[in-house]
Amino acid sequence: MVKPRQADGAGFSSARLGFGDHGLERMRFTDALGQESVIRFGEWQRNPDFPANAFKFSPPAGVDVIEG
């Protein structure tokens, strides 16, 4: 179980991570109000290949873009 270092302002009060043969399979979060959320990961691949055009970023108007 993991808990935030500082409870004030944290988005959760505790979390449990479930690992299986291929890594992380499940995450269970409890928020500060006691509500529980479960996220299950299935059929995921570590470092899959994506085509170069799979992602495109278009900055909103008025934003400075600094290229390095």
Side-chain angles (χ1 to χ4, degrees):
M1 179 186 311
V2 295
K3 292 188 176 195
R5 290 183 180 177
Q6 295 180 339
D8 292 346
F12 70 101
S13 63
S14 67
R16 292 180 182 268
L17 307 176
F19 293 89
D21 293 338
H22 300 289
L24 185 63
E25 292 183 357
R26 174 177 69 253
M27 294 181 0
R28 181 183 308 252
F29 296 93
T30 304
D31 68 18
L33 299 175
Q35 299 291 318
E36 190 172 85
S37 300
V38 178
I39 301 171
R40 296 180 191 279
F41 301 95
E43 298 185 32
W44 64 276
Q45 298 175 17
R46 182 170 292 169
N47 299 322
D49 289 325
F50 288 101
N53 63 353
F55 301 98
K56 181 180 178 184
F57 173 71
S58 298
V63 173
D64 292 332
V65 178
I66 300 171
E67 296 189 31

